[in-house]
């Protein structure tokens, strides 16, 4: 699962350990940070829905299905879970596949990918985030620390 690290230096304001999902159109960054237009963010799956630019892949006890993740997201958004359908579940399934394809402790981000040919399109991509400015020890401290 993708979880929050709570590190204001990296624009991560969700509580450490909160489960994350891609922010919906109605979510806001709560004026906590500004980012370039190509960057997007995750939100915590709780009533506060705090924003985080980065999440970290962590093993969870048990498992979560796309349906359960969708219900958790809709509940935290205060939306009716009866509105969920197969297309919605496919999005959550896609998200879980992207996250589960990465090893534990991998930082992840979500960005806009724009194509202009043959027609202009814009889609979100969930991907591994590289931190070339950090040493191995700094990365370990930020992304692997369990405290």
């Amino acid at each position: 699962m993708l979880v929050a690290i709570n590190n204001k230096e990296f624009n991560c304001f969700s509580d450490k350990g909160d489960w994350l999902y891609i922010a919906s159109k109605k979510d806001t960054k709560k004026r906590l940070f500004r980012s370039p237009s190509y960057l997007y963010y995750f939100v915590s799956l709780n009533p506060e829905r705090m924003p985080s630019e980065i999440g970290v892949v962590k093993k969870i006890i048990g498992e979560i299905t796309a349906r359960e993740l969708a219900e958790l997201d809709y509940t935290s958004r205060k939306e009716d879970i009866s509105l969920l359908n197969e297309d919605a579940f496919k999005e959550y399934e896609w998200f879980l596949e992207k996250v589960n394809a990465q090893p534990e402790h991998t930082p992840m981000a979500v960005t806009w990918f724009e194509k202009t040919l043959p027609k202009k399109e814009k889609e979100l991509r969930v991907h591994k985030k590289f931190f070339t400015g950090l040493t191995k020890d700094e990365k370990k401290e930020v992304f692997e620390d369990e405290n």
Side-chain angles (χ1 to χ4, degrees):
M1 188 61 195
L2 197 66
V3 300
I5 58 172
N6 190 296
N7 186 321
K8 289 165 184 46
E9 192 178 318
F10 296 124
N11 293 333
C12 300
F13 295 91
S14 301
D15 289 336
K16 188 174 187 122
D18 280 356
W19 288 7
L20 300 175
Y21 186 70
I22 300 167
S24 72
K25 287 182 174 83
K26 291 180 183 173
D27 285 311
T28 69
K29 295 182 215 165
K30 300 179 182 358
R31 297 184 182 205
L32 293 169
F33 62 96
R34 292 185 64 172
S35 53
S37 61
Y38 67 88
L39 287 179
Y40 204 59
Y41 60 101
F42 302 105
V43 290
S44 55
L45 292 177
N46 56 32
E48 290 82 43
R49 291 187 69 85
M50 292 300 287
S52 282
E53 240 177 58
I54 297 163
V56 178
V57 177
K58 296 284 183 186
K59 282 184 172 43
I60 59 171
I61 297 167
E63 57 184 45
I64 186 165
T65 64
R67 178 180 292 272
E68 291 166 336
L69 183 60
E71 288 174 359
L72 193 58
D73 186 36
Y74 270 57
T75 303
S76 71
R77 282 198 256 167
K78 296 177 180 67
E79 289 196 24
D80 187 358
I81 58 174
S82 68
L83 299 173
L84 285 166
N85 58 29
E86 286 307 310
D87 287 340
F89 293 138
K90 284 181 184 155
E91 280 184 41
Y92 292 94
E93 187 72 41
W94 169 84
F95 175 80
L96 288 173
E97 285 172 3
K98 289 285 188 189
V99 171
N100 290 328
Q102 299 294 332
E104 189 173 21
H105 308 303
T106 302
M108 304 279 288
V110 61
T111 54
W112 286 106
F113 177 72
E114 290 190 57
K115 292 192 286 192
T116 52
L117 296 172
K119 63 178 186 182
K120 193 170 183 174
E121 291 180 273
K122 195 174 175 183
E123 66 182 42
L124 283 172
R125 294 260 168 101
V126 175
H127 57 86
K128 182 176 179 176
K129 173 82 172 154
F130 294 94
F131 288 90
T132 53
L134 298 180
T135 66
K136 265 190 174 170
D137 288 340
E138 288 171 328
K139 288 179 193 174
K140 190 171 185 163
E141 185 181 317
V142 173
F143 304 120
E144 295 182 31
D145 185 25
E146 300 297 328
N147 299 336

